[in-house]
Amino acid sequence: MLQDLRLPQDESPVYRRLADAIAERIAAGVLAVGDRLPPQREIARALGINVTTVTRALSTLQQQGLLEARPGRGTTVAARDATERPAFVSAPSDQSGIIDLSVNRPATDAYLDAVAALLPRLSKDRHYAALQDYHPPEGPLWGRAAIADWLKSVAGDGDPGRVVLAAGAQHGLDCLLGAVTRHGEVVLADEVTYQGINALCRVHGLDLRGVAMDRGGMRPDAFEAACAQLRPRVVFLVPTLHNPTTITLSAERRQELAAVARRHNVLIIEDDVYRPLADDPPPSFASLEPELTVYIGALSKCLAPGLRLGFVIAPRVIAGQIAAALRINCWSISPLTALIGARLIEEGAAARIIEVQKQELRQRQGILSEILGRFDIQSYPTSTHAWLRLPEPWRGAGFARTCLERGVAVLPGDAFAVGREPVQHGVRINVGAARSLDDLRTALTTMAELLAAGHLQLPGFV
């Protein structure tokens, strides 16, 4: 199966050329799933290279999911479903000894303190009696009015008739896709993006395609080419503190992308859940193209995910379609959730919580910069997360796995990849997730040590 194997004659490292040569045989079917490779010493002897080079090449292929090594079986070709991604992590780990930086969670208890002060007063609220009743699928008017007024300068012009309340942004996005798309239609997104869109497109039978990015976000020229070739129904964007890269699209980039969407009549889904945490972000797509944009927000990232209050702001016709989809899905959201959210917003508690969160995040991002600043890290002073581009020879999955072995959980770039193209070799670090500043320092120091050690820490390297 590796007979007559020849390494390409180029300037790349020998281990990389060996890994590429084996990967080509797997892709061509010469090496099939379950085939066992010869012992590493035998491969090294046949090629005239040392064993450590072979070990490093095979470790690289294991990180890519092409090979697997098990005691008693040696190294075999792995079964590989190209549609699989690392698990959609939606709750922090409670495993002892793990500092979990893989999930976005509040950096402070400010939300809990505000709710503790609010709950004793709820029974006196004028809307309290309505909590036991059914409500319209779009949510109670007083809840929608609170959201509409809060975001009137961003989306919807303060019109509650354009607001649909949902049980979080993911729920709103699910109902939106069910309302405006049909099976088989193309959805465009950044080549790495919020992983929830991958799962929803699979459920709805949609063809999700990635669009090339640079350090400023989605490239307008790549978006234009994708629109001309694929004729997409919608484009999904996270324009402010992008998940996972933290990129905030500039005003100019937003205008360029909006112009492309307008030319090709592509509906813009603007997932702007991080906007409240940003300092003076550029105008939203919903303000630039109000009739071509559906705006999605939530209180999960700026207040607390446990509140489960999201919202969709759309042109009235589309809002009606979303409400109809939500009615089929769950009838309507909990009015108790809507009342808590409305009161926190209207009484100013939400603004105070956000400011406390931002102050804490600034401190945590400062620690990140201090410990990992010499590496290729992309972040923002009040972002809940950061994006670490990995140096050679690290790959996202391998680095995340090695971090976990050292007691630190992060999400690799594969979790955010769209399609089957090679992904950026990076990991998302959720600075807000650490339970304390000391835990954050410990976790980031561990990561810095691994990055500095490089290939000496690769799994399986001898």
Side-chain angles (χ1 to χ4, degrees):
M1 62 184 66
L2 292 182
Q3 294 90 340
D4 303 320
L5 185 67
R6 296 289 181 269
L7 303 188
Q9 297 301 312
D10 56 41
E11 297 182 356
S12 60
V14 176
Y15 87 92
R16 173 63 59 193
R17 284 185 273 154
L18 175 57
D20 289 346
I22 295 175
E24 288 178 4
R25 295 206 169 193
I26 294 173
V30 176
L31 288 171
V33 172
D35 283 349
R36 186 166 64 181
L37 271 62
Q40 294 181 20
R41 292 189 180 278
E42 186 177 319
I43 298 173
R45 185 169 54 250
L47 294 174
I49 59 179
N50 60 51
V51 175
T52 55
T53 299
V54 176
T55 301
R56 190 173 175 187
L58 299 189
S59 294
T60 298
L61 295 172
Q62 289 177 44
Q63 294 167 44
Q64 295 174 357
L66 296 176
L67 298 179
E68 58 183 356
R70 295 182 181 177
R73 292 186 55 197
T75 301
T76 61
V77 178
R80 188 164 184 257
D81 181 351
T83 65
E84 287 184 355
R85 299 289 179 215
F88 188 161
V89 181
S90 58
S93 172
D94 58 2
Q95 183 177 346
S96 176
I98 299 296
I99 302 174
D100 191 351
L101 306 184
S102 67
V103 176
N104 269 323
R105 63 176 302 276
T108 76
D109 291 333
Y111 165 76
L112 294 177
D113 295 340
V115 171
L118 173 65
L119 288 180
R121 298 187 284 110
L122 276 190
S123 63
K124 306 299 183 183
D125 192 279
R126 65 187 186 277
H127 299 302
Y128 181 76
L131 296 185
Q132 66 179 347
D133 294 328
Y134 284 113
H135 289 270
E138 61 269 24
L141 177 60
W142 42 263
R144 291 183 286 121
I147 296 296
D149 185 65
W150 188 44
L151 290 171
K152 62 185 176 184
S153 64
V154 176
D157 297 325
D159 179 5
R162 297 183 61 176
V163 177
V164 178
L165 300 183
Q170 178 78 355
H171 182 221
L173 182 56
D174 183 16
C175 294
L176 169 60
L177 291 175
V180 303
T181 64
R182 291 180 296 179
H183 189 279
E185 287 186 320
V186 173
V187 174
L188 298 181
D190 294 304
E191 60 187 347
V192 293
T193 193
Y194 165 60
Q195 60 189 157
I197 189 67
N198 270 299
L200 286 177
C201 283
R202 286 197 297 272
V203 168
H204 288 279
L206 300 171
D207 184 5
L208 181 64
R209 302 292 189 96
V211 180
M213 306 169 67
D214 57 25
R215 294 203 178 213
M218 182 180 286
R219 286 172 30 204
D221 62 325
F223 181 33
E224 181 90 56
C227 287
Q229 178 184 356
L230 301 173
R231 301 177 64 84
R233 174 70 180 94
V234 300
V235 59
F236 173 81
L237 295 166
V238 185
T240 307
L241 301 182
H242 177 269
N243 183 12
T245 67
T246 77
I247 293 169
T248 291
L249 295 176
S250 67
E252 181 181 6
R253 181 65 64 93
R254 293 174 192 233
Q255 291 166 354
E256 292 172 344
L257 293 171
V260 174
R262 190 186 316 118
R263 281 195 295 274
H264 295 273
N265 194 31
V266 177
L267 185 69
I268 299 169
I269 298 177
E270 181 174 17
D271 184 341
D272 216 18
V273 294
Y274 294 98
R275 185 182 188 88
L277 295 174
D279 294 323
D280 300 318
S284 65
F285 283 97
S287 63
L288 296 173
E289 289 289 339
E291 297 307 313
L292 196 62
T293 302
V294 178
Y295 186 91
I296 294 179
L299 302 185
S300 300
K301 302 303 185 291
C302 60
L303 298 191
L307 181 56
R308 305 314 306 140
L309 182 59
F311 41 87
V312 183
I313 304 176
R316 275 182 171 263
V317 172
I318 295 179
Q321 295 171 337
I322 297 167
L326 191 145
R327 179 177 182 174
I328 295 170
N329 181 283
C330 67
W331 195 271
S332 67
I333 72 160
S334 165
L336 177 58
T337 296
L339 185 57
I340 292 172
R343 287 295 160 265
L344 291 177
I345 290 171
E346 292 175 343
E347 295 177 1
R352 292 190 292 272
I353 294 168
I354 291 169
E355 189 53 41
V356 171
Q357 304 279 37
K358 291 172 71 172
Q359 290 175 5
E360 177 72 11
L361 288 169
R362 283 190 177 93
Q363 190 172 0
R364 291 178 178 230
Q365 290 287 351
I367 294 172
L368 177 92
S369 179
E370 171 194 332
I371 297 175
L372 294 182
R374 67 186 185 276
F375 300 102
D376 189 357
I377 194 90
Q378 187 162 0
S379 191
Y380 183 88
T382 55
S383 174
T384 60
H385 56 279
W387 179 245
L388 172 66
R389 291 181 174 86
L390 297 169
E392 289 287 348
W394 286 112
R395 297 294 182 265
F399 184 74
R401 185 164 54 247
T402 306
C403 284
L404 190 59
E405 292 171 357
R406 300 297 185 88
V408 180
V410 293
L411 268 185
D414 311 64
F416 306 95
V418 173
R420 304 182 183 185
E421 297 304 314
V423 300
Q424 297 180 21
H425 298 306
V427 293
R428 188 187 71 180
I429 304 169
N430 292 73
V431 297
R435 300 290 178 174
S436 68
L437 297 182
D438 287 342
D439 275 0
L440 181 62
R441 283 187 176 278
T442 298
L444 296 179
T445 299
T446 297
M447 295 175 69
E449 292 170 352
L450 291 174
L451 291 167
H455 70 272
L456 295 178
Q457 296 296 329
L458 279 171
F461 190 83
V462 181

